Amino acid sequence: MLTGLHLTLVQMLREYYLVGGMPEVVKTFLKTNDPNSVRKVQNKILIAYRNDIAKHTTDEESKRIGIVWRSMPSQLSKENKKFIYGVAKKGGRAKEFEVAIQWLIDAGLVIRVGRASSPTMPLKVYEDLSAFKLYLLDVGLLGAMAEVDPATLILPNDMKEGKGMFTENYVCTHLAASIEHSIFYYSKDNSPMEIDFMIQHGTNIVPIEVKAEENLKSKSLSVFLQQHENMHGVRFSMSPYREQERMTNVPLYGAGVYFAND
């Protein structure tokens, strides 16, 4: 049974998808409660970022950084969110864009999530350096970059496509803020099974699945947990908190605190 508090927090989460966490944007939303004013401030921030990139890099570097930066919504809207150079530029290669990507990482504008080839401690040792995902620093800015109508983010079930990219980006930013170690995703060679995120938490490895709504079919995570009986999974979704066999369902609005200070 969904409680009034749960429904209120879910609606606040949808508002967060629109607003994000940039201080000036939050201030504008609290002052005006106007989604269009929020989007104007977000667009100003994106322009400021582009100007800063041009100011602190050469013309050629700025061009390549801009290509990667502008490709972020397209990269994240794919079902498989692995970064594809060819999405940024037809025929693009790692050699052409690796410096640009590192610049964005070092500037704190994107978060790199590497692929772990084995769910084994420490995960960093098993990182596949050739495969990774990039997430934006702020989910509100992602909506502005993707030019998503504000009402689409606020109203439940209104977005049919692309809902997953906002949800995963939101969870990734909160994981980055609440854990000390690197964030990974996990996939096996020659297998369609993929775990959205995998982290070290204390002495444990935690596989994490992200669901945009209440559809809790979790084939990949369930299969993974059957194969790794010593692990306990976490699933973030719009469903209320509950413990299941070898899996904990955590409401998405709890993503920022679930692993913090534990």
Side-chain angles (χ1 to χ4, degrees):
M1 181 177 179
L2 300 181
T3 66
L5 178 59
H6 174 76
L7 294 174
T8 298
L9 291 172
V10 166
Q11 183 54 38
M12 292 176 70
L13 172 64
R14 296 187 193 282
E15 292 176 355
Y16 186 86
Y17 285 174
L18 166 67
V19 177
M22 304 298 288
E24 186 179 356
V25 181
V26 174
K27 182 179 178 180
T28 298
F29 182 69
L30 292 175
K31 182 178 180 180
T32 67
N33 198 33
D34 179 13
N36 293 321
S37 296
V38 164
R39 184 53 52 83
K40 287 179 181 179
V41 176
Q42 290 168 335
N43 287 331
K44 288 180 180 179
I45 292 173
L46 291 174
I47 291 171
Y49 282 159
R50 290 197 293 271
N51 291 338
D52 281 346
I53 291 170
K55 180 180 179 181
H56 296 290
T57 60
T58 65
D59 289 345
E60 184 62 29
E61 289 172 338
S62 177
K63 179 181 177 181
R64 294 182 179 181
I65 293 168
I67 289 172
V68 174
W69 179 248
R70 288 190 297 273
S71 80
M72 288 298 296
S74 297
Q75 299 283 354
L76 291 171
S77 66
K78 300 187 282 79
E79 183 176 356
N80 181 349
K81 294 172 177 56
K82 174 186 173 183
F83 187 88
I84 304 295
Y85 296 98
V87 170
K89 176 185 175 183
K90 187 175 181 180
R93 297 288 184 269
K95 184 177 181 180
E96 184 178 5
F97 291 111
E98 58 186 4
V99 173
I101 290 171
Q102 190 60 51
W103 192 96
L104 288 169
I105 294 170
D106 291 343
L109 298 182
V110 298
I111 301 167
R112 185 184 188 279
V113 174
R115 173 181 176 264
S117 60
S118 176
T120 306
M121 192 85 75
L123 288 172
K124 191 71 175 177
V125 173
Y126 298 94
E127 181 177 8
D128 174 5
L129 297 176
S130 67
F132 59 93
K133 301 177 183 181
L134 294 180
Y135 292 90
L136 214 62
L137 79 158
D138 181 80
V139 70
L141 293 183
L142 177 60
M145 289 182 71
E147 299 182 1
V148 176
D149 184 78
T152 304
L153 292 170
I154 292 177
L155 298 177
N157 302 314
D158 201 46
M159 187 190 302
K160 304 303 180 185
E161 302 294 336
K163 194 179 296 183
M165 77 171 177
F166 288 97
T167 312
E168 283 194 31
N169 203 103
Y170 160 80
V171 170
C172 182
T173 56
H174 282 75
L175 289 176
S178 60
I179 67 172
E180 297 180 357
H181 300 294
S182 301
I183 307 169
F184 297 91
Y185 73 97
Y186 170 75
S187 65
K188 293 180 66 175
D189 294 330
N190 304 316
S191 171
M193 184 182 74
E194 181 175 299
I195 302 300
D196 295 325
F197 298 110
M198 184 170 285
I199 63 170
Q200 286 179 211
H201 186 59
T203 59
N204 300 313
I205 290 177
V206 183
I208 299 170
E209 184 174 61
V210 177
K211 291 292 186 182
E213 291 292 342
E214 290 190 68
N215 179 2
L216 302 185
K217 294 181 180 179
S218 51
K219 185 176 180 180
S220 290
L221 183 57
S222 296
V223 171
F224 178 86
L225 291 173
Q226 289 172 9
Q227 297 172 349
H228 301 82
E229 296 182 354
N230 61 324
M231 293 189 186
H232 186 89
V234 171
R235 179 180 55 212
F236 290 110
S237 77
M238 286 293 195
S239 184
Y241 179 92
R242 67 175 176 273
E243 292 288 349
Q244 298 173 262
E245 185 178 2
R246 304 191 49 234
M247 185 189 306
T248 301
N249 188 86
V250 180
L252 279 161
Y253 51 75
V257 296
Y258 185 73
F259 291 108
N261 302 319
D262 189 359

